[in-house]
Amino acid sequence: MIPPLASYAVVVPTIGRPCLADCLTALAVSEGPEPSRIVLVDDRPEPGGDELPLGALGPLADRAVVLRSGGRGPAAARNTGIRVVDEPWTVLLDDDVRVSAYWREQLARDLAEASPDTGGVQGVLEVPLPTGRRPTDWERNTAGLRDALWATADMAYRTEALKAVGGFDERFPRAFREDADLALRVIDAGWRIRRGERRTEHPVRPADRWVSVRVQRGNADDALMARLHGPTWWERASAPRGRIRRHAAVTSAGLGALVLAAAGRRRAAALTAAGWLLGTAEFARARIAPGPRTADEILTMILTSAVIPAVATWHRLSGAVRHRGAGCWDGTL
């Protein structure tokens, strides 16, 4: 028997990717109590693009509302949606997930079992990986969502809790760390967050060879997290610290080799360049070993491993400078 459930709204930010139709179809055909409303937030920078596939919602289409957030990123887009929600619960979904066939029923149980001091209930994310071969570096990266805390790919919050903390911090411009920042502020405000039972599939999206280089922009967001929550935020969020210290050391070796060579100190430059090469080789090996070890994957790991340390270090330093005076988020919903 499905327990009684206070009404809920679903908020989905999107940039109009084709996967949105699959997300909405899965939500529409799932068994269980229907959402009171579905808020789609179109975050494309300019209006006039393809219409969002509201028809994929079937009988739920009349409950949908479309808002625009002007291309300001997923945090601002979610805030745009949350502002129009007056239901007790706000359920956040990403546009590239597919809820399970009984997700709405499982959601009802998750929320009905929430204690009065529970401000959020996290869904269980499943990342399908290929069978018959080891996953690629990008596939392993996406699979990390299985164990991540508070991922907004499927996260339900009491609307009261969201509005009490001012929603998402819009200084996080991409889908990275904005979820952890929000959750830590909700917890600091006295709420609990627990993991529920509902299940949602998060497929691995297609990506090109250089995707692992582009995601290094998130190092700037790590700098903002450290500024807002202190150096122990990693432990509080159970987030992996990554390799930023090693990346900084490898980058320093590379820069040092160039400076020494320019100064005519060939022996010192060669020794320092050897340090850069060894550090880069170790990084590439660590990424190649657990993967499928195809020729294309090995080439991708070698090329990107040579670039990532410098890119990651740059973004971390630029983020530290950019956010050096950042204070608590004072946005309102």
Side-chain angles (χ1 to χ4, degrees):
M1 180 178 178
I2 302 174
L5 169 68
S7 61
Y8 69 99
V10 174
V11 174
V12 184
T14 184
I15 53 174
R17 297 185 292 183
C19 56
L20 176 62
D22 292 334
C23 172
L24 299 182
T25 297
L27 176 63
V29 302
S30 180
E31 298 286 340
E34 299 175 349
S36 297
R37 98 175 84 183
I38 300 166
V39 185
L40 302 179
V41 185
D42 187 341
D43 195 45
R44 289 176 288 188
E46 299 292 337
D50 294 338
E51 293 296 322
L52 300 183
L54 298 184
L57 285 169
L60 299 182
D62 61 350
R63 303 185 181 208
V65 57
V66 177
L67 306 176
R68 294 191 179 274
S69 51
R72 295 181 292 129
R78 294 190 189 104
N79 282 349
T80 298
I82 295 166
R83 288 189 183 98
V84 303
V85 173
D86 53 21
E87 288 80 4
W89 287 94
T90 300
V91 182
L92 303 165
L93 292 177
D94 284 352
D95 69 353
D96 56 352
V97 303
R98 301 167 187 165
V99 301
S100 66
Y102 297 96
W103 180 85
R104 288 179 356 210
E105 180 178 327
Q106 294 165 345
L107 173 68
R109 292 195 176 93
D110 283 349
L111 301 188
E113 294 170 1
S115 60
D117 65 341
T118 296
V121 185
Q122 178 179 350
V124 177
L125 295 178
E126 298 175 336
V127 180
L129 295 176
T131 58
R133 66 164 174 81
R134 296 178 177 182
T136 64
D137 178 74
W138 176 239
E139 290 166 344
R140 294 194 305 274
N141 180 281
T142 304
L145 288 169
R146 293 169 172 169
D147 301 317
L149 290 182
W150 317 315
T152 45
D154 180 357
M155 187 75 195
Y157 278 107
R158 289 191 191 273
T159 306
E160 173 189 359
L162 288 174
K163 296 192 175 183
V165 301
F168 288 88
D169 188 332
E170 297 179 13
R171 292 172 294 185
F172 290 91
R174 68 199 112 248
F176 191 71
R177 302 305 190 205
E178 86 292 358
D179 47 7
D181 168 73
L182 172 66
L184 289 176
R185 286 186 286 114
V186 167
I187 292 170
D188 289 343
W191 299 93
R192 296 173 60 247
I193 300 176
R194 68 175 186 85
R195 190 180 293 270
E197 299 296 330
R198 67 189 186 280
R199 296 183 175 273
T200 296
E201 183 180 279
H202 191 302
V204 179
R205 70 174 185 268
D208 61 31
R209 188 187 301 279
W210 301 102
V211 64
S212 59
V213 177
R214 291 195 298 275
V215 300
Q216 299 308 314
R217 296 168 183 165
N219 282 282
D221 302 322
D222 284 347
L224 179 55
M225 285 292 291
R227 176 67 186 175
L228 297 175
H229 301 284
T232 63
W233 78 265
W234 302 90
E235 290 81 6
R236 293 186 64 199
S238 296
R241 290 200 62 126
R243 300 173 63 103
I244 189 61
R245 292 179 179 176
R246 294 188 189 183
H247 288 337
V250 170
T251 302
S252 296
L255 288 175
L258 293 174
V259 171
L260 289 168
R265 300 176 60 183
R266 295 182 179 179
R267 181 178 177 80
L271 289 173
T272 309
W276 174 86
L277 183 60
L278 286 173
T280 300
E282 183 276 329
F283 182 36
R285 182 183 181 281
R287 300 171 71 206
I288 291 170
R293 304 181 193 176
T294 61
D296 186 68
E297 177 73 358
I298 291 172
L299 177 60
T300 297
M301 294 302 97
I302 292 173
L303 293 174
T304 57
S305 295
V307 176
I308 284 175
V311 174
T313 302
W314 166 256
H315 283 298
R316 184 59 181 267
L317 291 175
S318 63
V321 172
R322 187 183 321 131
H323 301 302
R324 63 188 181 278
C328 296
W329 173 243
D330 59 0
T332 57
L333 291 176

